[in-house]
Amino acid sequence: MYRLSLALLFAIASTSVAWAQRDLKNIPDPDPELERKTFILPEGAEVNLWAGDPQMHKPIQMNFDAQGRLWIASSEVYPQIKPGQPATDKILVLEDTDFDGDADKTHVFAEGLLIPTGVIPDDAGGCYVANSTELLHFKDTDGDLKADEKRIVLSGFGTEDTHHLLHTLRWGPDGCLYMNQSIYIHSHIETPHGVKRLNGGGIWRFRPETLELEVLCTGFVNTWGHHIDRWGQSFATDGAYGEGINYVFPGSVFVTAPGAKRIVAGLNPGSPKHCGLEIVGGRHLPPDWDGNMIANDFRAHRVCRFVVTEDGSGYASRQETEVIKSSHPAFRPIDVKMGPDGAIYIADWYNPIIQHGEVDFRDERRDHTRGRIWRVTFPDRPLLDTRIAADEPTEKLIERLAAPEEWVRQHATNMLKARDADDVKKQLDAWVGRIDANDSEREQLLLRALWLGEAIQRIDTGLAMQLAQSPDHRVRAAVVRHVAHELDRYPQAPALFAKAVADEHPRVRLEGVRALTLLPSLESTRLAATALDKPIDRWLDFAVWQAMRDLAPVWLPAVQSGKFDFGGNTDHLVFALKAVESPDVVRPLVALFEQDKLPAERVPSVLELIATLGGPQELGTIFNLVVAPDSKMPDARKATLLAALVETSRMRKTQPAGDLNRVATLFRSESEPVRTAAIHAAGTWKVAAARAEIDNWLMHKEAPPATRSAAIEAVAAYGDVPARELLRTLAAAEATPLADRLSALGALASLDVNAAASGTVDLLTAAPAGLDPAAAVGAIASRKEGPAALAKALAGKRLAPDVAKLVLRTVRAAPQPSDE
């Protein structure tokens, strides 16, 4: 027999999560060649070490400049600086001077940093660095690849977690700098355009020339990957959540966004966590890799590849054979980039410890010195040399906008930003004029020209209006987003957005809906809702739903005052009212219902919304519909509405107005869902007149199990002394069915956890046939005082060995105790 001690149970109760790496003993030989030999690659690919220690240490993010040099944010201090320890982290620049496939020179561009989590060159001799609370800019004034000037560009980013800080710096084709932050960060950034805030995860969009800062999307747990495709659409990965590739559009909301009522799901449900994101392509890689997305599964020691295709207003993603997979326990790929030779470069954090939260910050098994950059090539395919000389003429740079490699197009754009804007615009116009009307890439090239004009702040509104008529929906969608970014320059914006919402392609409609929120008015609201008149998928449905919430300060008061009704379209009005989920929408909904203006298919969901959000009078209206003697309402709807009323009462402490005793008339319903819902409601509302009948149901052995279970919960809801005594009696009676005894003990735990624990131990000691010890202790173990109450009740008691083991296992696995 096993004796469970008080001390043991307390120890179990204090255990939260079993840390997966605390027993890690497989610390590998750090020889890079031994690591390389573990790599498994697709047919025709090979990998070589491009750079490693001592050339560099601990790469966090990397980005190439136009001359083919690799800039690396490196941190040996991570995950936390020791008291008195100097900040020694660096920005490194690595060169492959002879372009033979491995780095041969390292420059320390900047040092004395504290856990820099992002770096990106500006292709004008400097770089931007994410450094704790600040976005810094370093400038090299004499060309020796050492920073001579440092400037704080933005400050006020949160610092709550060192691997959630500002990170993942990425240039967009529009000339803006995109930056990510993660769940535990709260940022309040002062700019010339006002204070910008982002609490939790999300992606920033920043124009350095004007210091304009905006939020592209909110949410994610730890989004360490972001890229923009050749049509201006954004995608992201999450290093601490599992949905693979995520499609990101303006105003989209993802998991963990504070206050989110609804989120956009990823494209690969069930896929593991991924870090970094690169869209690959170009002449060196196999043709079927063009446009594929590559992300790192650093926990499983592999670099994954996804094929992403269009799907309505959004996309679909299919995982393909990995770029690399390995059995090496220290291979931690965390960033991936295309290089100037057309190869794929992988930053390997190299560490047997995954990250700082799994084991102690000072754990001696952490590797603080090593790091590798691996290079994947296809030997049977010619390598490229797409490096761009710093002094390349402007005309040649503009011609590079037509290069097959995105790497080249982006760097050409970045370099042109540093040239004289008027000269660039003049030569850009000439280049646009030379594009062959029959060129299959014409629309893409013109879009690149539009973006370059945006990047140098020389907007070509005529070109934008031309492209708005493009036969390619991807171009039309990109133009809508471009105009939304440059509203002050486009008096045509309202008409363009209105046309976009009616476009034949759903992605153009999505962009139009989101753009209309930037022009808050009743007309914008009406137009955004018209997107509902065409088939909608999950992304477009979310976009309209979010637009109704964003525009609510404009349209909701007008609806309440009777000045706006969405042009008489009841479907649009109901969709908008439901989207807002505010008590302010209840009266308009009740009015629509009472005036019989609701489409029949909308009635059930509207009634549920009223039951969820209404005040006493509105809840009373729903209650009257349910209990009316002549009600024609289907039983399933009655049960659903009663459940909604009960949940509202629990969450908002609001009860329906009127005579609640009438709920007892439903106790005798032939529908068990109605009967159980009514019993739950009576208990929640503590309906005195129903108490005796509920007690009868509870003791009625022939009653259906669901009804008896509802009666047990209802008795507990009354919460008085008679309720506690009745539950104790029921739980102790051997004649009571075992399932009811367990239900009674679970319900009793909410009123008297010590009594419930004592009764549970008595049951465990008796061990009646069919008893599941886990079910017996589970409800108690998860309560705040439950483990202590169980320990007290178990003192001096003996349990069968198999029962004792199950009890221990259940207490250990119980959720964190609640504060109820």
Side-chain angles (χ1 to χ4, degrees), residues 620 623-625 627-629 657-667 678 687 689:
F623 179 71
N624 289 336
L625 290 172
V627 300
D659 181 9
L660 298 182
N661 291 320
R662 290 181 298 159
V663 73
T665 62
L666 300 177
F667 286 3
V687 177

Side-chain angles (χ1 to χ4, degrees), residues 148-220:
D148 302 302
E149 298 177 4
K150 181 179 82 170
R151 175 170 58 94
I152 298 174
V153 181
L154 296 172
S155 63
F157 297 99
T159 61
E160 292 89 331
D161 193 315
T162 53
H163 73 310
H164 286 196
L165 300 168
L166 187 71
H167 52 76
T168 310
L169 307 186
R170 166 80 68 181
W171 288 112
D174 53 5
C176 287
L177 182 60
Y178 291 79
M179 311 173 289
N180 299 8
Q181 70 178 50
S182 301
I183 181 175
Y184 296 127
I185 300 303
H186 299 77
S187 297
H188 307 272
I189 317 300
E190 187 170 352
T191 78
H193 309 277
V195 177
K196 306 298 180 180
R197 293 181 170 87
L198 178 56
N199 294 320
I203 300 177
W204 294 98
R205 178 179 183 267
F206 175 58
R207 186 169 293 286
E209 298 80 13
T210 62
L211 298 181
E212 293 173 278
L213 182 68
E214 63 184 66
V215 175
L216 171 64
C217 71
T218 58
F220 297 115

Side-chain angles (χ1 to χ4, degrees), residues 88-102:
T88 57
D89 293 337
K90 302 174 180 67
I91 300 299
L92 305 174
V93 183
L94 275 62
E95 290 188 88
D96 176 5
T97 58
D98 53 10
F99 212 58
D100 66 348
D102 60 84

Side-chain angles (χ1 to χ4, degrees), residues 249-253 262 501 509-532 539-556 564 566 572 575-580:
F249 52 88
S252 50
V253 178
R262 184 177 173 186
V501 172
R509 299 202 294 273
L510 183 150
E511 294 286 352
V513 166
R514 292 308 306 154
L516 283 166
T517 64
L518 304 176
L519 301 172
S521 68
L522 293 177
E523 179 62 7
S524 291
T525 303
R526 185 191 68 78
L527 286 169
T530 62
L532 299 168
W539 297 282
L540 187 50
D541 184 80
F542 177 90
V544 180
W545 179 87
Q546 188 65 50
M548 295 302 103
R549 294 173 68 86
D550 292 342
L551 294 168
V554 174
W555 65 262
L556 185 53
F564 180 64
F566 286 80
H572 295 179
F575 183 95
L577 290 169
K578 291 180 64 178
V580 174

Side-chain angles (χ1 to χ4, degrees), residues 628-652:
D630 56 350
S631 174
K632 303 297 184 183
M633 184 180 293
D635 287 336
R637 177 59 45 198
K638 289 182 180 180
T640 299
L641 291 176
L642 275 175
L645 291 172
V646 168
E647 184 64 17
T648 297
S649 297
R650 288 175 176 169
M651 298 300 295
R652 294 174 42 224

Side-chain angles (χ1 to χ4, degrees), residues 78 145 180 202 249 298 399 440 514-515 632:
Y78 180 90
L145 285 177
N180 299 8
F249 52 88
F298 55 95
E399 290 175 356
S440 62
R514 292 308 306 154
K632 303 297 184 183

Side-chain angles (χ1 to χ4, degrees), residues 311-630:
D311 181 17
S313 67
Y315 295 84
S317 175
R318 181 184 77 253
Q319 191 162 349
E320 288 289 345
T321 303
E322 295 95 338
V323 179
I324 278 183
K325 59 181 177 180
S326 170
S327 58
H328 197 284
F331 176 53
R332 301 293 182 186
I334 62 170
D335 200 7
V336 57
K337 292 290 190 298
M338 292 296 300
D341 53 359
I344 296 171
Y345 288 74
I346 300 164
D348 178 6
W349 175 253
Y350 191 86
N351 212 316
I353 302 297
I354 293 177
Q355 54 90 9
H356 77 256
E358 308 244 341
V359 295
D360 188 84
F361 284 4
R362 315 296 181 210
D363 193 290
E364 62 184 12
R365 295 168 298 174
R366 290 188 181 279
D367 188 302
H368 287 277
T369 58
R370 297 178 181 87
R372 287 91 196 258
I373 306 296
W374 301 99
R375 172 177 172 264
V376 177
T377 56
F378 287 80
D380 291 340
R381 300 184 63 82
L383 287 165
L384 312 175
D385 185 355
T386 59
R387 293 174 295 178
I388 307 174
D391 59 353
E392 180 158 293
T394 296
E395 180 181 3
K396 295 294 185 183
L397 279 178
I398 291 174
E399 290 175 356
R400 288 184 180 270
L401 296 179
E405 286 74 34
E406 173 61 27
W407 192 97
V408 179
R409 297 191 293 265
Q410 186 62 61
H411 280 296
T413 298
N414 294 349
M415 292 179 69
L416 287 165
K417 286 177 62 179
R419 305 289 175 90
D420 180 79
D422 291 329
D423 180 56
V424 172
K425 180 62 168 66
K426 178 180 177 181
Q427 298 200 48
L428 177 63
D429 289 344
W431 178 74
V432 167
R434 295 193 297 270
I435 298 175
D436 190 333
N438 297 316
D439 191 328
S440 62
E441 292 289 309
R442 176 178 172 80
E443 297 297 299
Q444 167 67 205
L445 298 179
L446 293 176
L447 182 58
R448 274 283 166 182
L450 180 68
W451 280 331
L452 177 56
E454 184 178 354
I456 64 174
Q457 292 294 281
R458 296 295 186 272
I459 306 295
D460 189 336
T461 58
L463 178 59
M465 292 302 101
Q466 173 189 334
L467 290 176
Q469 311 299 321
S470 171
D472 192 324
H473 65 272
R474 297 169 297 183
V475 174
R476 299 197 303 275
V479 170
V480 175
R481 192 177 300 196
H482 159 77
V483 173
H485 288 154
E486 302 290 339
L487 272 180
D488 292 344
R489 303 173 188 266
Y490 284 95
Q492 311 98 317
L496 176 66
F497 299 164
K499 184 177 180 181
V501 172
D503 194 275
E504 65 182 19
H505 198 278
R507 189 169 312 121
V508 184
R509 299 202 294 273
L510 183 150
E511 294 286 352
V513 166
R514 292 308 306 154
L516 283 166
T517 64
L518 304 176
L519 301 172
S521 68
L522 293 177
E523 179 62 7
S524 291
T525 303
R526 185 191 68 78
L527 286 169
T530 62
L532 299 168
D533 296 335
K534 295 179 182 288
I536 60 174
D537 53 28
R538 65 183 178 101
W539 297 282
L540 187 50
D541 184 80
F542 177 90
V544 180
W545 179 87
Q546 188 65 50
M548 295 302 103
R549 294 173 68 86
D550 292 342
L551 294 168
V554 174
W555 65 262
L556 185 53
V559 167
Q560 291 175 306
S561 63
K563 298 178 180 177
F564 180 64
D565 64 354
F566 286 80
N569 191 310
T570 306
D571 273 342
H572 295 179
L573 174 58
V574 172
F575 183 95
L577 290 169
K578 291 180 64 178
V580 174
E581 292 185 332
S582 163
D584 293 337
V585 309
V586 172
R587 291 191 181 280
L589 285 173
V590 170
L592 288 171
F593 176 75
E594 291 177 339
Q595 296 166 20
D596 199 23
K597 291 184 177 181
L598 288 174
E601 66 276 10
R602 295 280 191 183
V603 170
S605 59
V606 167
L607 292 180
E608 286 182 40
L609 187 64
I610 296 171
T612 302
L613 299 175
Q617 294 303 319
E618 291 77 27
L619 298 183
T621 297
I622 303 300
F623 179 71
N624 289 336
L625 290 172
V626 173
V627 300
D630 56 350

